[in-house]
Amino acid sequence: MLSLNNVHVYYGAIHALKGISFQVNQGEIVTLIGSNGAGKSTCLKTISGLLHPKQGSVQFKDKDLSNVNAPEIVAMGISHVPEGRRIFANMSVSENLDLGAYLRKDKQNIKDDMEKVYTLFPRLRERRKQLAGTLSGGEQQMLAMGRAVMSRPQLLILDEPSMGLAPLLVKQIFEIIKEINESGTTVLLVEQNARMALSIANRAYVLETGKIVLEGDAKELLESEEVKKAYLGG
């Protein structure tokens, strides 16, 4: 479904991604793990059109995204839940969700999808008239995910969904990611909590300073001594 081929990305003179290549197949959960500054968020921003590669290509269902802008990429079926949630704080929960469907014209289906989001995240239904900025961190994360789901993505990309959340909420968020995937959405996940990410993913890639240094079946990487030492605290 998605493939990055020898992608190089720069921030001015800083070489952030150094020839990255990886694939995401339809129906999978694929996770990118690595320490801070490894290039994980840069990778996601490049896929969603917020950054453009200087060299190499990003392909989604055989279309080259390398120079396509972000709104067009959303319309093609990729939705990005950014690090730090980025919800619209002065708008209500339901208005935030409506904005997720901004590019859609199918009013009845939008209504049905709103209902689906409220079923996935019952807390949002309770808070639907509340200003998004007054929600707790966990509720804001649910809203950011719900808003992304409202665009009916074929590929959902998530950047650090567990950041700053209590362990119980982290578990809940990861169960919902699995549920979204089981309902037919492919997921690419960037996550600091490597153990949690590897436990739900099919495959994983390990990034270090802008390069992929390890890849493989997520369960195998969970058992790998190298990964345990570097990312799982053991």
Side-chain angles (χ1 to χ4, degrees):
M1 185 184 251
L2 176 80
S3 66
L4 276 73
N5 305 299
N6 191 33
V7 168
H8 291 259
V9 175
Y10 289 78
Y11 291 103
I14 297 163
H15 197 173
L17 295 183
K18 302 166 184 167
I20 276 186
S21 299
F22 71 83
Q23 284 79 38
V24 179
N25 301 315
Q26 190 156 352
E28 285 189 307
I29 297 178
V30 171
T31 186
L32 305 178
I33 62 172
S35 51
N36 274 338
K40 305 185 302 296
S41 292
T42 302
C43 227
L44 297 192
K45 286 176 183 167
T46 306
I47 295 162
S48 60
L50 299 170
L51 294 169
H52 297 290
K54 196 162 190 179
Q55 193 184 325
S57 69
V58 178
Q59 296 213 306
F60 179 62
K61 294 170 37 180
D62 300 326
K63 292 191 180 84
D64 192 345
L65 304 184
S66 306
N67 292 302
V68 179
N69 65 30
E72 282 178 74
I73 288 174
V74 175
M76 288 164 80
I78 297 178
S79 210
H80 185 165
V81 180
E83 185 180 352
R85 331 214 212 283
R86 305 285 179 92
I87 50 142
F88 299 101
N90 296 324
M91 297 172 85
S92 72
V93 165
S94 65
E95 286 168 335
N96 268 270
L97 293 176
D98 275 333
L99 275 175
Y102 180 73
L103 294 173
R104 293 173 55 185
K105 305 279 182 277
D106 49 337
K107 281 202 168 66
Q108 186 50 51
N109 290 336
I110 290 172
K111 246 175 126 168
D112 295 346
D113 286 351
M114 183 82 85
E115 198 46 47
K116 274 184 204 157
V117 168
Y118 287 145
T119 305
L120 267 179
F121 304 103
R123 193 79 62 85
L124 296 183
R125 189 194 298 277
E126 293 164 21
R127 307 267 193 273
R128 62 185 183 279
K129 292 190 165 64
Q130 203 169 309
L131 286 183
T134 64
L135 300 177
S136 70
E139 289 163 350
Q140 289 188 13
Q141 184 59 52
M142 290 171 187
L143 180 56
M145 287 166 67
R147 182 181 59 187
V149 166
M150 286 299 293
S151 72
R152 278 211 173 166
Q154 295 164 54
L155 173 65
L156 179 65
I157 55 183
L158 296 151
D159 197 353
E160 303 287 6
S162 80
M163 190 185 267
L165 301 185
L168 206 64
L169 264 177
V170 171
K171 197 167 176 290
Q172 200 181 337
I173 291 287
F174 274 85
E175 278 164 8
I176 291 164
I177 294 169
K178 270 171 73 177
E179 230 173 291
I180 291 169
N181 174 250
E182 282 159 10
S183 72
T185 306
T186 305
V187 175
L188 175 61
L189 169 67
V190 154
E191 181 51 65
Q192 204 74 78
N193 186 335
R195 188 182 302 281
M196 216 48 184
L198 291 170
S199 73
I200 68 161
N202 302 99
R203 292 186 306 108
Y205 295 88
V206 180
L207 265 74
E208 263 176 34
T209 58
K211 291 179 180 165
I212 287 170
V213 292
L214 267 179
E215 61 181 271
D217 177 87
K219 305 294 176 278
E220 284 170 19
L221 288 179
L222 200 48
E223 297 306 316
S224 142
E225 287 308 315
E226 208 175 327
V227 172
K228 276 182 185 171
K229 270 201 194 87
Y231 305 105
L232 306 177

